[in-house]
Amino acid sequence: VSITLDPASGRLSQATLAPAAGEAENAQAVRDAWTGCLAAFLSKNADVAVTFMDDTVQLLRMRQTVSRGELEASFNGTFETTDFGGLALEDLVDPDTVFVQRTSDYEGDVGGPVYLLGARARMDLSDTIPFWTTWQAYYFRPVSGDWKIFAIR
């Protein structure tokens, strides 16, 4: 719903936004959250990177659920052994392969909309990040007005 003020009459009017506009805005917000997470990761800032994660994250391929703290510890371990000096997001993930779409997967479990972000990795970090694969898939849900990663496939 959009509320606007007509300056000539001083009246408020209400219009319903097209669903596609909301979907596009949500998809962009998901992409922005993912980009923020990866940017923090590349700058070796684990405490900021995990702010884009839910309290717990399901690692679907590993059939494991980890806490935000466990992910932060894993990221810090990666930072000790991996030099990201000068790397950009495009070096880590192919931007031409990134897509975001709403999915019905897990909607019943999380009680709201779920978006899937997929991308192809250019770097192999699987030796220090166990859930890292060539094809990345991140599931997002809204939490207190922000989009958070709650599952990774």
Side-chain angles (χ1 to χ4, degrees):
V1 173
S2 171
I3 299 174
T4 57
L5 173 66
D6 179 356
S9 69
R11 300 179 112 192
L12 292 175
S13 64
Q14 182 175 331
T16 302
L17 297 176
E23 297 291 324
E25 290 168 1
N26 287 340
Q28 185 60 52
V30 164
R31 184 184 289 261
D32 291 346
W34 177 75
T35 301
C37 181
L38 288 183
F41 182 83
L42 286 174
S43 65
K44 295 187 172 187
N45 195 338
D47 58 329
V48 172
V50 297
T51 64
F52 297 95
M53 310 274 181
D54 207 344
D55 291 338
T56 60
V57 176
Q58 297 174 51
L59 305 178
L60 300 171
R61 289 178 198 234
M62 301 173 69
R63 297 184 181 154
Q64 183 179 5
T65 300
V66 294
S67 71
R68 185 183 295 146
E70 290 170 316
L71 282 170
E72 185 173 356
S74 175
F75 290 169
N76 282 321
T78 299
F79 301 157
E80 291 174 8
T81 60
T82 306
D83 180 20
F84 295 125
L87 285 181
L89 180 66
E90 297 78 24
D91 299 319
L92 187 61
V93 178
D94 182 351
D96 294 331
T97 65
V98 177
F99 69 89
V100 179
Q101 66 187 34
R102 185 163 179 179
T103 178
S104 60
D105 296 348
Y106 308 107
E107 279 190 349
D109 297 333
V110 301
V114 173
Y115 281 78
L116 169 64
L117 182 144
R120 185 177 187 282
R122 286 188 167 160
M123 292 182 67
D124 182 6
L125 300 177
S126 61
D127 56 337
T128 56
I129 302 177
F131 61 81
W132 194 267
T133 61
T134 301
W135 284 99
Q136 305 285 308
Y138 300 89
Y139 290 89
F140 287 79
R141 72 182 190 103
V143 178
S144 301
D146 295 317
W147 288 94
K148 303 279 187 178
I149 297 169
F150 73 90
I152 301 171
R153 178 174 35 91

